[in-house]
């Protein structure tokens, strides 16, 4: 955002002139791919928060939030402009707005250069103001905008006033279920002007405050104010010390709170905090669940690189799927500013002697390698100075030297690592010592060649080589018509399948699989090409046939994969002897070599890419081992402790399977638990996995480096054990879920705002080591999303809090299941004790109010008492240990087969009936306390567990707890005796006498 600095100091006259023109509206041509352009009226809304246009079929959705704008470029710089003929438009009348997670571009042409200049200046001024806000100012601005927008959307006739009927409709939209008599009473109290029967915006704000009065916060204030309606400075200090666990609370700090948050001038004069000021303070960032100290770098940054988790991106240049989406240099700028520190660059020989970046063997667009390097150079250290790792996947032959020249010429001193001192231990350097440096991760020439060798042979591990040759698009056609048909068909099929995935359970990672995508694409192509029998055998039809055979082949070879996620090539060979020849061919092909030039090799210093089979335990530092998720899964399953030891000296990168053509993401958790540093995800794909990744790296100032637990850096432990760290104290999280605020209807609600008022419940999930992974949830509150009250306490025991994540989810319960409302995920170590608000990610006002207590627990039996479901895993053999094997055996490509743990992730195909039953069972019954059930986040559990204990996803569900909860005051010894008196084989009975055993949920 450095280029925006100049726009912060524009003169008020110039700012108002720009804003006036933009709010009045300007007719511009909107360029679209494949069309001549559309004339639309573009204007800035009166709050200066969003850009809108009309006419549009999108209606209310025809808008771009100023918050979502990434950058504005002048002239004909975008891809769509480049497709237009030179001289077609005056460059001084053209500009592009890049916005959203996928860097969508809005390409606009004005009638004269002055209009373009005005819009560019005005938009950059607004962006500069937003970039300069602190968290409190942003929270206040978004709240004010939300209230104003709510008022305008409720004003159906646009007269600037709300009548009682419009208020009733607004109540339904806001999920408020109040008696009409009560609503009318508040309406009359707020309606104070001469124009009786309607509310102005100012009166509506009064009405909204009355409606939003928080009983929970009012009772909290009364309890610390000696039943007065305000807090004195001393009472406020007492509240902060006792409840919020704050130290060094000064009088001046409390007075500052009164000055910032109190709205009544009378209260300010008396230095007291009334209920409205107290509410403002409690809803401010100061009382957020995330520790504000963790918004800055606070961890030790002087340890070796291998001691850190490093935020890593896969196929960074792509904006969408792996087959057809656009490649954009701006994706590098976006992920780097989001905190990512390892980006991927796939290099290929391009036309005119210029290397290009794109996804090989696909129809994704190409961008110049030079542009990528320039973008990385510009944005790498804008937000923080910690090192950036450039993961080069080199497919070039003649243009390798050009790649080396661009890297050296553009990055310059950033590549010079000669001054970095690693000491006598030969360990990797630290992030602190590498500040401002760029590390090139790539192949290095073998040492035995000598320094005088200009080039040499190196093994060629291409991540795309996981796909058989027939699966790759090879564009060498004469007839472009059929190629366009195939591309068009695949694009439509992808879009329809991706839309289908969006309406399914957002928390179910297997609800939309790549396998289904490949199968549907294959079947559709088959049908499509049968309808065009007149297409000649040469040219494009051969492409279509190869595409079909390739998908067909994948369908066959993945038959066993659908049963076991950990199936590897050798397993395919054993289970399908007839394929032995093709599998041997694939393995042989993976060992192919390529020529590497000395110039490129010399740029690789601490990040030398090596294959698993090339690992030699010779004490060398600086190797980076790359695994696809399928191979890494197998290693984690069978040799987790040895893998952890390897990761104490070297770096490991895990990347998504090449078959994830929809750019979906795998679960990063098992690999973090094994100490893998570079777990690369598709940053362009939003969803559960990216939310976990974002939460993990938000701590430590979002700098892209998070220190691994000390137990992972020295020594070893079994991450799958029932008690992995018996000598360490555990953490007890006591979480009281009190209430919710402004919870909206589900984002994919079929009826939108007209739908029923939601019946919300909260689910809290602990995500970490297998023994820590579990869920618990509150009861359902009927017909209230505006201010539901749960007042329920959930308790969890966490063995390794340093890597645990706490995930808060809000669901809307309905008769056939549940609908996702929103979520927020926070690292356990960043939780702050006391009364806290958990703002749901991506939603302006929606939050849940909780109280957090964290205790340390000592002793062998603590998890048994506080988390009874723990004993199930324990008795099933979760503590079974494996003997430590040598490092050489870690990457053995011929593992033992047939053991139950190798096939523990048994994925069954679910029918619609199964899904409905499962979704219904997962929601708690209304009006009563639900039983706690554990949840196994890591589907890769390797212990011998009967199939009866797994649900349809292959996920281990712990047994349900008795409905009769253990009261907090129950003596520990009685609880312990009660737990020990139960026979291991006995089933527990709930209060109704129903038996609970290990069953499918």
């Amino acid at each position: 955002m450095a280029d925006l600095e100049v726009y912060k100091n524009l003169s008020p006259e110039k700012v108002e002139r720009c804003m006036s023109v933009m709010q009045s509206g300007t007719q511009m041509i909107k360029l679209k791919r494949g069309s001549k352009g559309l004339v639309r009226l573009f204007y800035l809304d009166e709050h200066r928060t969003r850009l809108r246009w009309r006419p549009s079929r999108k209606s209310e959705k025809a808008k771009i939030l100023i918050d979502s704008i990434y950058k504005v470029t002048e002239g004909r710089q975008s891809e769509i402009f480049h497709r237009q003929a030179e001289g077609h438009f005056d460059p001084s009348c053209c500009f592009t707005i890049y916005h959203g997670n996928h860097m969508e571009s809005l390409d606009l042409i004005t009638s004269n250069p002055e209009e373009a200049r005005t819009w560019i200046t005005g938009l950059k001024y607004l962006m500069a103001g937003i970039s300069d806000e602190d968290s409190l100012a942003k929270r206040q601005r978004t709240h004010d905008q939300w209230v104003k927008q709510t008022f305008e959307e409720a004003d159906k006739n646009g007269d600037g006033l709300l009548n009682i009927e419009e208020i009733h409709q607004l109540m339904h939209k806001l999920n408020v279920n109040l008696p009409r008599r009560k609503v009318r009473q508040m309406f009359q109290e707020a309606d104070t002007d001469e124009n009786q029967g309607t509310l102005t915006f100012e009166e509506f704000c009064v009405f909204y405050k009355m409606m939003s009065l928080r009983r929970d916060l009012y009772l909290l204030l009364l309890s610390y104010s000696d039943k007065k309606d305000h807090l004195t400075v001393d009472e406020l200090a007492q509240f902060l010390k006792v409840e919020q666990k704050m130290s060094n609370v000064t009088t001046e700090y409390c007075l500052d709170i009164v000055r910032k948050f109190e709205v009544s001038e009378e209260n300010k004069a008396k230095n007291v905090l009334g209920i409205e000021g107290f509410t403002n303070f409690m809803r401010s960032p100061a009382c957020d669940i995330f520790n504000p100290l963790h918004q800055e770098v606070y961890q030790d940054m002087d340890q070796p690189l291998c001691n850190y988790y490093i935020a890593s991106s896969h196929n960074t240049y792509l904006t969408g799927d792996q087959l057809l989406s656009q490649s954009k240099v701006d994706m590098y700028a976006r992920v780097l500013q989001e905190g990512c520190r390892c980006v991927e660059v796939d290099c290929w020989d391009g036309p005119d002697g210029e290397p290009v970046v794109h996804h090989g063997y696909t129809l994704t667009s190409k961008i110049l390698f030079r542009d990528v390097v320039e973008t990385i150079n510009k944005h790498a250290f804008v937000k923080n100075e910690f090192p950036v790792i450039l993961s080069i996947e080199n497919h070039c032959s003649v243009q390798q030297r050009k790649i080396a020249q661009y890297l050296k010429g553009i990055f310059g001193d950033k590549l010079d690592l000669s001054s970095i001192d690693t000491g006598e231990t030969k360990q990797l350097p630290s992030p602190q010592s590498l500040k401002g440096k760029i590390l090139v991760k790539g192949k290095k020439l073998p040492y035995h060649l000598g320094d005088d060798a200009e080039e040499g042979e190196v093994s060629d591990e291409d991540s795309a080589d996981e796909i058989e040759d027939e699966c790759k698009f090879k564009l060498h056609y004469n007839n472009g018509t059929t190629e366009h048909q195939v591309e068009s068909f695949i694009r439509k099929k992808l879009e329809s399948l991706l839309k289908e995935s969006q309406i399914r359970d957002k928390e179910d990672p297997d609800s939309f699989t790549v396998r289904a995508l490949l199968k549907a694409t294959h079947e559709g192509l088959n049908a499509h090409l049968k309808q065009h029998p007149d297409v000649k055998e040469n040219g494009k039809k051969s492409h279509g046939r190869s595409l079909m055979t390739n998908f067909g082949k994948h369908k066959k070879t993945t038959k066993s994969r659908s049963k076991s996620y950990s199936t590897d090539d050798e397993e395919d060979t054993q289970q399908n002897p007839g394929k032995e020849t093709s599998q041997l061919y694939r393995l042989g092909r993976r060992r192919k070599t390529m020529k590497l030039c000395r110039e490129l090799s010399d740029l690789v210093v601490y990040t030398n890419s090596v294959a698993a089979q090339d690992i030699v335990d010779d004490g060398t530092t600086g190797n980076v081992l790359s695994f696809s998720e399928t191979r890494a899964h197998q290693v984690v399953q069978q040799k987790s402790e040895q893998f952890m030891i390897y990761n104490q000296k070297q770096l490991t990168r895990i990347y998504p399977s090449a078959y994830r053509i929809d750019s979906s993401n795998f679960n990063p958790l098992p690999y973090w638990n094994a100490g893998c540093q570079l777990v690369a995800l598709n940053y362009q794909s939003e969803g559960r996995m990216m939310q976990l990744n974002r939460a993990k790296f938000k701590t430590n100032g979002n700098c892209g480096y998070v220190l691994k637990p000390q137990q992972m850096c020295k020594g070893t432990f079994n991450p799958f054990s029932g008690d992995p760290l018996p000598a360490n104290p555990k953490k007890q999280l006591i979480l009281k879920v009190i209430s919710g605020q402004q919870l909206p209807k589900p984002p994919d609600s079929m009826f939108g705002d007209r739908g029923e008022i939601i019946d919300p419940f909260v689910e809290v999930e602990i995500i970490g080591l297998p023994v820590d992974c579990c869920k618990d949830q509150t009861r359902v509150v009927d017909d209230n999303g505006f201010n539901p009250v749960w007042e329920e306490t959930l308790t969890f025991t966490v063995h390794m809090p340093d890597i645990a994540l706490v995930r808060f989810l809000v669901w809307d319960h309905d008769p056939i299941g549940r609908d996702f409302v929103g979520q927020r995920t926070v690292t356990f170590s960043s939780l702050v004790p006391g009364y806290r608000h958990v703002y749901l990610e991506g939603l302006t006002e929606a939050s849940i109010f909780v109280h957090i207590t964290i205790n340390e627990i000592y002793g062998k039996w603590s998890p048994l008492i506080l988390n009874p479901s723990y004993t199930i895993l324990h008795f099933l053999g979760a503590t079974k240990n494996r003997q430590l094997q040598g490092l050489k055996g870690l990457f053995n490509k011929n593992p033992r087969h047939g053991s139950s743990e190798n096939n523990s992730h048994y994925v069954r195909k679910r029918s619609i009936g199964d899904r409905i039953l499962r979704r219904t069972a997962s929601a708690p019954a209304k009006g009563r306390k639900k039983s706690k059930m554990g949840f196994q986040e890591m589907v890769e559990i390797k212990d011998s567990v009967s199939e009866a204990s797994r649900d349809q996803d292959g996920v281990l569900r712990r047994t349900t707890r008795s409905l009769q909860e253990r009261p907090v005051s129950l003596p520990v010894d009685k609880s312990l005796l009660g737990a020990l008196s139960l026979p291991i084989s006995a089933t527990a009975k709930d209060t109704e006498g129903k038996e609970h055993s290990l069953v499918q949920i």
Side-chain angles (χ1 to χ4, degrees), residues 515-794:
R515 215 165 282 115
L517 183 67
L518 285 168
K519 182 180 177 184
T521 309
H522 165 236
E523 290 171 351
L525 270 175
N526 213 348
H528 174 78
L529 292 171
K530 279 181 181 175
Q531 294 171 7
H532 298 82
D534 53 327
V535 181
K536 293 181 181 178
E537 191 62 40
N538 58 10
K540 208 148 179 241
K541 182 167 182 189
S542 65
H543 174 118
R545 280 198 184 282
S546 108
L547 197 63
M548 283 192 297
T549 54
N550 95 62
F551 282 131
K553 181 172 180 182
H554 175 238
K555 187 177 164 191
K556 291 174 188 174
T557 56
T558 55
K559 207 164 188 179
S560 58
R561 286 176 195 265
S562 66
K563 294 181 182 177
S564 172
Y565 188 76
S566 63
T567 302
D568 201 24
D569 299 329
E570 295 82 358
E571 289 174 271
D572 256 348
T573 307
Q574 290 190 14
Q575 294 171 13
N576 303 283
K579 296 177 186 165
E580 188 172 353
T581 308
S582 67
Q583 294 300 334
L584 287 173
Y585 163 72
R586 287 182 61 203
L587 288 173
R589 181 177 50 108
R590 287 194 180 189
R591 298 296 296 145
K592 69 183 179 184
T593 59
M594 63 175 290
K595 292 278 189 184
L596 178 67
C597 72
R598 170 66 64 183
E599 292 95 316
L600 198 51
S601 171
D602 286 348
L603 297 179
V604 177
V605 182
Y606 296 112
T607 44
N608 175 28
S609 294
V610 294
Q613 51 268 56
D614 294 336
I615 284 286
V616 179
D617 188 14
D618 59 359
T620 306
T621 57
N623 289 334
V624 182
L625 183 65
S626 287
F627 274 148
S628 78
E629 59 176 291
T630 49
R631 183 72 179 133
H633 168 86
Q634 196 174 47
V635 175
V636 168
Q637 285 284 286
Q638 297 168 353
K639 303 182 176 72
S640 58
E641 293 176 69
Q642 299 96 300
F643 202 13
M644 197 178 295
I645 291 171
Y646 175 84
N647 289 325
Q648 291 172 5
K649 297 292 183 185
Q650 309 282 10
L651 298 177
T652 301
R653 180 173 183 266
I654 314 296
Y655 56 88
S657 163
Y659 286 110
R660 289 187 180 272
I661 57 175
D662 59 340
S663 286
S664 59
N665 281 312
F666 59 88
N667 178 14
L669 193 71
Y671 312 110
W672 288 335
N673 288 349
C676 299
Q677 299 86 356
L678 301 159
V679 182
L681 298 183
N682 291 301
Y683 270 57
Q684 73 271 28
S685 297
E686 191 49 54
R688 175 184 172 89
M689 303 316 170
M690 266 308 295
Q691 288 160 1
L692 301 185
N693 190 75
R694 197 157 47 237
K696 187 170 192 70
F697 288 102
K698 185 178 180 182
T699 190
N700 203 31
N702 197 36
C703 73
Y705 287 84
V706 172
L707 194 59
K708 296 197 294 190
Q710 201 54 39
Q711 298 93 329
M712 284 189 176
C713 300
K714 290 181 181 177
T716 186
F717 64 91
N718 180 2
F720 295 98
S721 168
D723 193 5
L725 302 164
N728 290 34
K730 302 159 185 63
K731 295 282 188 182
Q732 179 197 37
L733 172 63
I734 303 174
L735 184 67
K736 186 175 185 181
V737 182
I738 301 169
S739 61
Q741 296 77 42
Q742 282 93 336
L743 303 176
K745 291 179 171 62
D748 299 320
S749 174
M750 189 180 297
F751 298 104
D753 293 335
R754 296 178 292 108
E756 291 184 353
I757 292 174
I758 66 171
D759 306 324
F761 66 93
V762 177
E763 183 176 66
V764 180
E765 181 179 4
I766 305 296
I767 303 168
L769 291 183
V771 70
D772 291 334
C773 291
C774 61
K775 290 181 180 180
D776 203 351
Q777 55 198 28
T778 67
R779 62 186 172 85
V780 173
V781 171
D782 292 333
D783 296 331
N784 189 350
F786 189 75
N787 54 2
V789 175
W790 293 284
E791 286 281 351
E792 290 194 40
T793 300
L794 313 177

Side-chain angles (χ1 to χ4, degrees), residues 83 105 849:
R83 291 189 176 193
S105 66
F849 187 47

Side-chain angles (χ1 to χ4, degrees), residues 156-419:
K156 300 298 183 186
N157 57 11
D159 61 357
L161 300 168
L162 297 185
N163 58 38
I164 188 66
E165 193 51 45
E166 287 172 327
I167 287 289
H168 282 308
Q169 291 177 17
L170 177 60
M171 295 292 98
H172 187 84
K173 178 184 174 182
L174 294 177
N175 289 306
V176 182
N177 187 14
L178 284 174
R180 295 177 77 89
R181 175 182 52 78
K182 178 68 174 173
V183 174
R184 181 169 291 278
Q185 179 187 338
M186 290 193 297
F187 183 95
Q188 290 170 348
E189 287 182 32
D191 187 10
T192 54
D193 63 2
E194 304 86 20
N195 195 2
Q196 291 291 299
T198 56
L199 300 182
T200 63
F201 176 67
E202 290 72 22
E203 290 174 328
F204 171 72
C205 289
V206 174
F207 173 85
Y208 181 75
K209 283 179 182 176
M210 292 166 58
M211 185 178 68
S212 306
L213 196 62
R214 296 270 300 275
R215 184 172 180 271
D216 51 0
L217 291 180
Y218 187 62
L219 292 175
L220 187 57
L221 179 142
L222 290 179
S223 68
Y224 274 86
S225 67
D226 196 22
K227 297 188 171 52
K228 303 188 303 293
D229 64 352
H230 62 264
L231 288 169
T232 65
V233 169
D234 290 340
E235 290 164 345
L236 176 59
Q238 183 71 359
F239 168 75
L240 295 177
K241 291 173 187 173
V242 174
E243 293 294 350
Q244 306 301 80
K245 307 300 180 190
M246 292 176 64
S247 55
N248 303 320
V249 178
T250 62
T251 301
E252 185 54 40
Y253 178 77
C254 295
L255 287 171
D256 190 51
I257 290 175
V258 174
R259 283 193 293 269
K260 277 184 181 176
F261 299 102
E262 181 54 56
V263 292
S264 163
E265 292 300 325
E266 183 182 350
N267 284 348
K268 280 185 180 179
K270 295 178 181 176
N271 288 331
V272 297
L273 196 65
I275 181 59
E276 201 171 336
F278 183 64
T279 301
N280 290 340
F281 169 65
M282 293 301 293
R283 285 184 67 79
S284 75
C287 293
D288 191 270
I289 194 169
F290 185 83
N291 190 338
L293 298 177
H294 291 189
Q295 291 173 353
E296 306 293 333
V297 175
Y298 72 96
Q299 295 179 344
D300 176 12
M301 303 304 288
D302 285 312
Q303 298 189 31
L305 280 179
C306 52
N307 285 7
Y308 297 86
Y309 297 112
I310 304 172
S312 305
S313 164
H314 173 252
N315 286 351
T316 312
Y317 46 87
L318 288 182
T319 58
D321 66 80
Q322 313 276 314
L323 273 184
L324 301 161
S325 68
Q326 296 297 305
S327 305
K328 290 185 179 177
V329 294
D330 291 308
M331 292 302 289
Y332 288 95
R334 186 199 131 202
V335 303
L336 286 167
Q337 293 192 32
E338 283 182 8
C340 180
R341 295 285 92 183
C342 178
V343 295
E344 184 177 8
V345 187
D346 289 350
C347 309
W348 298 78
D349 289 327
D352 306 320
E354 288 293 327
V356 294
V357 173
H358 78 114
H359 193 34
Y361 318 118
T362 69
L363 301 175
T364 57
S365 62
K366 300 176 176 66
I367 50 180
L368 291 176
F369 176 80
R370 180 187 65 240
D371 292 346
V372 168
V373 177
E374 286 175 346
T375 301
I376 294 171
N377 187 53
K378 182 179 179 182
H379 296 278
F381 305 112
V382 171
K383 291 291 180 76
N384 77 76
E385 294 185 16
F386 290 107
V388 170
I389 300 172
L390 215 61
S391 182
I392 300 281
E393 196 165 286
N394 177 23
H395 305 276
C396 294
S397 53
V398 295
Q399 293 173 13
Q400 282 188 29
R401 287 180 173 80
K402 202 71 172 282
I403 288 175
Q405 289 169 15
Y406 282 134
L407 291 173
K408 288 187 284 189
I410 295 171
F411 289 143
D413 290 343
K414 297 185 179 80
L415 291 179
D416 182 13
L417 306 179
S418 59
S419 61

Side-chain angles (χ1 to χ4, degrees), residues 886-900:
L887 181 64
K888 190 175 180 182
L890 173 58
F891 307 111
N892 180 10
K893 296 203 72 176
N894 294 297
R896 294 191 307 274
H897 301 290
S899 62
S900 59

